[in-house]
Amino acid sequence: TGTTRPQRLLRAVQERATRGDSESVIAAIDHFCRHQEWAMNVGDEKGFILDSVVSEVSPQTALELGTYCGYSTVRIARLLPPGGHLITLEFNPNYAAVARQVIAWAGLEDMVQVVEGASGDWIPHLREHFGIESFDFVFLDHWKELYLPDIKLLEECGLLRKGTVLLADNVVCPGTPDYLEYVRKSQSYESHYFGSHLEYTRAEDGLEKSVYLG
Ligand SMILES: Cc1ncnc2c1ncn2[C@@H]1O[C@H](/C=C/CNC(=O)c2cc(-c3ccc(F)cc3)cc(O)c2O)[C@@H](O)[C@H]1O
Ligand SMILES: [Mg+2]
């Protein structure tokens, strides 16, 4: 039993990035994925779009579904305003362990809470557990068939408010057809597609930004 890809990604961060420098952590992961081993991080091209949406929203409360190695967690957390906080849900304990170390290497552990468990189990308890009234921003990047059930659950739990911004990765590749149809047809959302490419490749992919209208 050797190392896993997330463990090799973490080692690349620890060897190449400067502790406390989130930009160098992002660059180290992008370098690893482009030159060593592809991994399913949102990547630099879609990451630039993620950055612009996070900067525009400037969220006090943010939620991420699917932490994986913490790459998008670092991209989001580094742009949070003072007092801003990001909760990221990850049900694989090995991935969560790697992500915690990546986030710590970036010096962002005070703004981020990595919560281990399934999104469907945790979403109904976020208010009581973390004192969250509602989320200003949600990034979806976990199992693609769970995007739709999870935003419906967020709606039911009253965790979305007028103006909450949802940003979904991979709406083209691997694709999230039922989610896209829902947010584009529903009167409760104003949706916009940002065309891009699958991380570290030339394949088409993109992000869907959907504003909850209440
Ligand atoms: C209910 C629940 N609760 C909590 N965590 C949960 C959870 N369900 C899953 N997770 C977690 O989230 C991540 C999973 C991410 C799934 N992402 C993708 O499958 C993905 C795939 C590609 C891809 C594209 C073309 C290819 F040829 C191959 C792969 C690109 C991507 O960007 C992806 O995101 C992973 O860390 C998993 O443990
Ligand atoms: Mg993704």
Side-chain angles (χ1 to χ4, degrees):
T1 61
T3 57
T4 64
R5 179 168 303 177
Q7 287 170 328
R8 295 192 291 273
L9 181 149
L10 172 61
R11 190 171 60 224
V13 166
Q14 293 168 334
E15 287 170 357
R16 281 203 207 104
T18 306
R19 244 196 181 295
D21 176 354
S22 56
E23 297 302 328
S24 73
V25 168
I26 292 165
I29 295 173
D30 285 330
H31 183 278
F32 175 80
C33 293
R34 209 175 274 288
H35 303 294
Q36 257 91 34
E37 303 181 55
W38 186 92
M40 60 182 176
N41 313 119
V42 73
D44 48 355
E45 189 180 316
K46 289 186 288 177
F48 185 76
I49 300 166
L50 170 62
D51 290 357
S52 61
V53 174
V54 172
S55 299
E56 171 201 350
V57 176
S58 198
Q60 282 297 315
T61 57
L63 175 67
E64 175 180 58
L65 303 180
T67 316
Y68 189 43
C69 296
Y71 174 87
S72 48
T73 320
V74 167
R75 288 201 80 111
I76 296 165
R78 85 193 202 288
L79 297 175
L80 291 176
H85 201 78
L86 170 62
I87 292 176
T88 181
L89 306 184
E90 174 53 57
F91 75 14
N92 181 312
N94 302 313
Y95 294 167
V98 165
R100 285 194 176 94
Q101 294 173 81
V102 167
I103 293 157
W105 201 267
L108 295 167
E109 63 276 16
D110 295 344
M111 342 261 290
V112 178
Q113 187 105 29
V114 179
V115 177
E116 239 170 275
S119 50
D121 296 339
W122 265 101
I123 286 170
H125 300 288
L126 293 177
R127 176 172 291 111
E128 78 201 73
H129 239 267
F130 298 101
I132 299 275
E133 205 27 58
S134 63
F135 287 106
D136 302 324
F137 177 77
V138 182
F139 183 57
L140 298 97
D141 196 18
H142 60 338
W143 288 164
K144 306 315 160 193
E145 63 277 4
L146 294 180
Y147 283 22
L148 182 53
D150 279 353
I151 65 157
K152 286 185 171 174
L153 187 56
L154 285 165
E155 286 176 23
E156 286 156 26
C157 295
L159 287 166
L160 305 182
R161 51 118 177 130
K162 281 186 180 26
T164 296
V165 172
L166 308 181
L167 191 64
D169 189 26
N170 309 119
V171 297
V172 169
C173 176
T176 62
D178 58 345
Y179 173 83
L180 269 193
E181 185 187 11
Y182 179 76
V183 291
R184 289 176 176 175
K185 284 189 176 167
S186 166
Q187 300 301 314
S188 300
Y189 292 93
E190 183 61 44
S191 236
H192 178 80
Y193 174 66
F194 292 86
S196 183
H197 296 92
L198 177 67
E199 48 267 30
Y200 318 113
T201 79
R202 302 158 71 93
E204 187 192 349
D205 190 19
L207 301 169
E208 188 84 0
K209 174 190 173 188
S210 307
V211 182
Y212 186 61
L213 304 173

